[in-house]
Amino acid sequence: MLKKRGQEPVARAKKNQAFTLLGEQVAPGQRRTFELEAAKLYTHSPLTINLEVVNGVESGPVLLVCAAIHGDELNGVEIVRQTLAKVDATQLRGTLIAVPVVNVFGFIHKSRYLPDRRDLNRCFPGSQRGSVAGRMANTFFNEVAMHCSHIIDLHTGAIHRTNLPQIRADLSNEETAKIANAFGTPAVINASLRNGSLRSEAAELGIPVITYEAGEALRFDPIAIAAGVQGVENVMRKLRMLRGKRVRKQAEPVIASSTSWIRAETDGIIRAQVSLGERVSKGQVLAYINSPLGDSECAILAPRSGIVIGQQTMPLVNEGDAIFHLAYFAHANSLVEQQLETFIDEISDMDDELKTPELNNE
């Protein structure tokens, strides 16, 4: 114990140990890149998942930050890159494992899916004797995810859909709720666990996982990326992996009680009347769907008052297509909308600040 005059005793920081992954060690205060063989191409060329381990000088949590489990979701790849560029191993408590691209097959082909058309995020924990997706899920889950104490899984909307920056988490778990609130998005979705997802299977092992959703597939969104980098830093500070510089005080996130997708009631060309993050009232017109000649028109109405947290970006729709994702809150929707506006303004102002070279203790 350390004690300064006139102060209560302060616990001495515990020195970290070498971190072992894939049979190799990373010494305290060091960083190392790894290549995890996940599959092979038809040519027998190995297809590897690249990752980096940053092992701090003091002991602490083991945080996994991973992206592109869906291969076309690119914002997370840039969030991981920027985070790695800013973290200093000599000023870190615990260990950071950063994986920019999990679904390397999908990433190469700019596709959400694997070659067998399976969704990797429905195949965890996988199987050594299963499909291509099942085998990749098994390799990543056993060789990487199981070695972590906390996980941040970075996602975007699907192709032709965009998401407002949001956290999805099972808030019934106290540790999960702690890091979900710390991330710093103004809205948190209390989302049930989906069988086969990384979030669900890690939770079965007692590993808290949050999913960050922001932007759309195959696009870089500066706001989504800046918010993600700041969010990862916020979580690392909450876990005491980083010290010193404090993040500015944030408003408490508002918890969505439920969400629902609003679907097209006819085929045609859609003209949206609301935008991402906008507050809508029950019965408000969200969009009009017209025929190409304009001789018919269908109004799409909000079934309840809420906030638009996701929407389709393609103006062509078929009957039944999901076109708007609404979140419903116990709080007044005006409060949520105000926090969203403040959040976007602050992230925009913070963008230059986030480009500083290191996250450190000074």
Side-chain angles (χ1 to χ4, degrees):
M1 304 287 283
L2 296 178
K3 184 177 180 181
K4 292 184 178 180
R5 183 175 298 176
Q7 292 183 347
E8 292 296 319
V10 179
R12 184 188 300 273
K14 185 178 179 181
K15 291 184 179 179
N16 205 2
Q17 302 295 317
F19 185 80
T20 302
L21 191 72
L22 306 181
E24 302 290 339
Q25 289 193 333
V26 184
Q30 300 296 315
R31 57 201 303 159
R32 181 174 177 179
T33 59
F34 293 84
E35 292 186 353
L36 172 62
E37 185 172 326
K40 288 185 178 179
L41 299 174
Y42 300 127
T43 60
H44 283 206
S45 299
L47 202 58
T48 59
I49 298 173
N50 295 321
L51 58 98
E52 184 165 343
V53 174
V54 186
N55 196 27
V57 293
E58 297 177 4
S59 64
V62 179
L63 173 65
L64 168 62
V65 181
C66 62
I69 282 182
H70 296 134
D72 59 356
E73 299 183 358
L74 306 183
N75 282 331
V77 180
E78 178 63 8
I79 292 169
V80 171
R81 186 195 70 78
Q82 290 191 27
T83 298
L84 280 172
K86 293 155 67 68
V87 171
D88 180 356
T90 66
Q91 304 295 327
L92 181 67
R93 286 175 172 165
T95 306
L96 172 67
I97 303 177
V99 187
V101 181
V102 178
N103 182 356
V104 285
F105 263 123
F107 187 76
I108 288 170
H109 295 289
K110 306 180 185 69
S111 169
R112 178 183 180 89
Y113 303 107
L114 285 152
D116 58 5
R117 295 298 299 169
R118 283 182 168 87
D119 184 334
L120 184 59
N121 209 31
R122 297 294 179 269
C123 295
F124 288 102
S127 167
Q128 290 182 336
R129 297 180 178 274
S131 64
V132 171
R135 293 176 189 225
M136 284 188 66
N138 179 263
T139 297
F140 182 73
F141 193 76
N142 286 281
E143 298 293 339
V144 180
M146 286 181 61
H147 296 273
C148 304
S149 64
H150 300 75
I151 299 175
I152 302 175
D153 187 18
L154 305 171
H155 286 260
T156 76
I159 192 166
H160 303 315
R161 289 184 186 170
T162 186
N163 284 332
L164 189 76
Q166 61 196 259
I167 286 293
R168 297 180 185 177
D170 175 15
L171 301 181
S172 64
N173 180 285
E174 183 177 346
E175 187 70 8
T176 302
K178 181 179 83 172
I179 61 175
N181 291 335
F183 195 94
T185 59
V188 173
I189 313 300
N190 189 8
S192 59
L193 299 171
R194 289 190 175 184
N195 291 337
S197 67
L198 175 62
R199 190 162 65 93
S200 172
E201 298 308 317
E204 286 288 323
L205 299 180
I207 302 172
V209 186
I210 60 173
T211 299
Y212 174 62
E213 290 273 0
E216 66 177 302
L218 298 176
R219 299 286 184 273
F220 270 1
D221 182 324
I223 295 295
I225 291 168
V229 175
Q230 183 63 53
V232 172
E233 179 185 347
N234 290 346
V235 171
M236 292 178 75
R237 292 194 185 282
K238 186 67 175 180
L239 295 175
R240 302 188 65 191
M241 297 177 73
L242 300 172
R243 299 174 298 171
K245 171 188 165 187
R246 295 181 178 274
V247 295
R248 64 191 72 183
K249 184 173 176 58
Q250 299 165 324
E252 285 293 317
V254 183
I255 310 301
S257 56
S258 62
T259 68
S260 68
W261 275 99
I262 312 305
R263 298 185 178 274
E265 297 174 7
T266 187
D267 311 281
I269 301 171
I270 187 169
R271 294 182 292 117
Q273 303 299 298
V274 296
S275 58
L276 212 58
E278 189 169 333
R279 170 170 50 104
V280 298
S281 302
K282 181 178 180 179
Q284 180 177 341
V285 175
L286 302 177
Y288 294 103
I289 301 176
N290 295 89
S291 65
L293 291 175
D295 54 352
S296 67
E297 182 174 86
C298 173
I300 304 299
L301 308 180
R304 294 170 57 186
S305 296
I307 298 291
V308 181
I309 61 167
Q311 70 179 92
Q312 179 171 318
T313 57
M314 168 74 74
L316 309 178
V317 296
N318 289 116
E319 183 178 354
D321 282 352
I323 50 178
F324 291 100
H325 197 191
L326 300 187
Y328 310 111
F329 300 87
H331 293 72
N333 289 321
S334 57
L335 171 63
V336 183
E337 185 182 38
Q338 181 180 354
Q339 288 193 196
L340 288 171
E341 290 175 354
T342 302
F343 167 78
I344 291 172
D345 289 342
E346 288 181 350
I347 289 298
S348 298
D349 293 341
M350 208 179 290
D351 197 20
D352 290 337
E353 181 182 325
L354 289 174
K355 296 173 184 175
T356 53
E358 292 181 350
L359 298 175
N360 55 42
N361 297 344
E362 299 177 357

